[in-house]
Amino acid sequence: MSNARATHLSRRGILAAGGALGLGAVLAACGDDDAKSGGSDKETTAAKSGPWSFKDDRGTTSKADKIPSTIVSFIGVAAALHDYGIESKGVFGPTKLKDGKADVQAGDLDISKVTIIGNEWGQFNIEKYAALSPDVLITTMFDAAGTLWYVPEESKKKILAVGAPTVGISVYDIQLPQPLARMLELAKSLGADTSSATITTAKKRFEDAAARLRAAAKAKPNIKVLVGSASQDIFYVSGSNLSVDLEYFKSLGVNFVEPSAAALKASGGWYENLSWENVDKYGADIIMMDNRTSAIQPADITEGTWKKLPAVKAGQVIARNPEPILSYAKCAPLLEDLAKAIENAKKVS
């Protein structure tokens, strides 16, 4: 196994049960149809204006004479900014499935209208990237060191040498509202009309969903929620710390199954590895399962021990995206789905 592959498994494992695998990006669009398609060389009104600057979560301030019009970003960020009317011209990260359809992390993005720089961990075509003459590269960060997610360390110097500034939005050990606000701030800097009815309605929906989840958790405090992710040999059980969604859900009162500190230590606090024989180690009334294409989906799990779990037998299994698309429109349903599951859950553990 190559070092790159080993790193992939290590990082993906960390995010499989506890966090996320995604980043994203943007492009300023101010109503120009060509610009919204991501496929035109014509500058938008926003792109003609300037100067532009944005201080990211590393404390790094990126500057340009005009608002960036050629944006390359991690697919999840591109999906979030798309919801704000900002389009990326290039993306990297899980974008296209083998059947040609869009990956779940692409959200509502039309992947036929973007240049895919890389579709898997470790893939980043520097020639394609340079050919776009990017104005900025945007991604997320899943550690305290500010590592740019899905930007390969082995080729990072060459990528930076292309000359585009980089922007990193932290999704590490904070609660979901914080990166949501930061993504909206970034979108605004890139030309989004953040006071539009569409955005204000989405934000209100998110706030209402949070109130609903808080009420559901308060009404049924004994409902235990286990967060998992399935691979061929390992079932990952996430702790509620470090992940932006789980930390927030916990603050709203959700009663999560928590692996011990000793069990979490090997993964830096993210998750505990269980063999399929020991998948019943923790009792749970609801199981939230990783819905990314890197994980085995519940319907495809053949292990008998899984099928015997009380929550599985009761049909109390819901999806979770460990890399939430950071727009209010995409995050509101995450809270609504969990609230509904708790409201309807029977005590089975």
Side-chain angles (χ1 to χ4, degrees):
M1 178 182 295
S2 69
N3 289 336
R5 179 61 174 166
T7 300
H8 179 195
L9 291 174
S10 173
R11 293 189 181 183
R12 188 173 74 184
I14 285 175
L15 296 174
L21 275 180
L23 313 189
V26 273
L27 165 138
C30 292
D32 180 12
D33 291 339
D34 287 336
K36 287 184 179 180
S37 75
S40 171
D41 293 327
K42 183 178 181 181
E43 291 184 330
T44 65
T45 301
K48 293 178 181 178
S49 65
W52 173 82
S53 69
F54 185 82
K55 186 176 182 179
D56 75 0
D57 293 336
R58 298 170 297 179
T60 299
T61 299
S62 295
K63 298 181 179 181
D65 293 336
K66 62 179 182 179
I67 294 176
S69 61
T70 303
I71 300 168
V72 173
S73 56
F74 178 80
I75 184 61
V77 175
L81 292 173
H82 170 79
D83 285 352
Y84 295 136
I86 304 297
E87 305 297 341
S88 298
K89 288 190 175 179
V91 299
F92 53 95
T95 302
K96 181 184 289 188
L97 303 178
K98 291 181 180 179
D99 62 5
K101 295 181 181 178
D103 189 277
V104 64
Q105 295 190 60
D108 295 329
L109 194 67
D110 185 345
I111 63 172
S112 71
K113 295 181 179 179
V114 294
T115 297
I116 300 174
I117 306 297
N119 200 50
E120 298 178 4
W121 181 267
Q123 290 183 355
F124 196 105
N125 190 311
I126 299 175
E127 289 74 21
K128 281 188 177 181
Y129 176 63
L132 288 175
S133 298
D135 294 324
V136 66
L137 182 151
I138 309 173
T139 188
T140 48
M141 302 180 298
F142 287 95
D143 59 31
T147 304
L148 297 175
W149 191 239
Y150 262 81
V151 175
E153 287 296 314
E154 61 271 19
S155 55
K156 182 179 177 180
K157 288 184 179 179
K158 292 182 179 179
I159 293 168
L160 296 180
V162 172
T166 60
V167 171
I169 299 297
S170 178
V171 285
Y172 174 75
D173 198 17
I174 53 179
Q175 294 183 17
L176 185 56
Q178 185 173 335
L180 275 172
R182 288 292 282 152
M183 190 63 69
L184 185 64
E185 182 182 354
L186 175 60
K188 183 177 181 179
S189 81
L190 293 165
D193 177 8
T194 56
S195 63
S196 71
T198 299
I199 293 175
T200 54
T201 298
K203 188 173 182 181
K204 178 64 164 55
R205 179 184 173 187
F206 177 85
E207 293 166 350
D208 289 346
R212 178 183 174 184
L213 179 55
R214 186 188 297 276
K218 184 177 182 180
K220 291 188 172 181
N222 295 325
I223 294 296
K224 295 190 292 185
V225 180
L226 182 145
V227 182
S229 183
S231 68
Q232 183 174 350
D233 300 315
I234 298 172
F235 184 79
Y236 301 94
V237 178
S238 172
S240 62
N241 291 328
L242 305 183
S243 302
V244 292
D245 60 336
L246 303 186
E247 284 201 9
Y248 185 48
F249 300 161
K250 181 171 64 174
S251 78
L252 296 175
V254 175
N255 181 9
F256 284 112
V257 170
E258 299 281 3
S260 67
L264 294 170
K265 186 176 180 180
S267 69
W270 290 93
Y271 65 90
E272 176 181 4
N273 288 351
L274 294 179
S275 66
W276 284 104
E277 289 76 14
N278 294 315
V279 74
D280 60 353
K281 178 177 179 179
Y282 299 106
D285 304 298
I286 295 172
I287 301 177
M288 299 178 71
M289 289 293 289
D290 186 345
N291 71 349
R292 295 168 300 168
T293 52
S294 58
I296 299 174
Q297 298 307 298
D300 299 320
I301 298 175
T302 58
E303 300 290 341
T305 47
W306 163 260
K307 295 180 180 180
K308 293 178 182 178
L309 293 177
V312 175
K313 293 172 68 175
Q316 295 178 172
V317 178
I318 65 173
R320 175 214 176 201
N321 186 347
E323 300 178 65
I325 294 171
L326 297 172
S327 73
Y328 291 103
K330 291 297 183 293
C331 286
L334 307 181
L335 279 73
E336 293 167 346
D337 291 347
L338 181 53
K340 181 180 180 181
I342 294 174
E343 291 164 352
N344 296 334
K346 297 177 181 179
K347 184 68 180 174
V348 295
S349 64

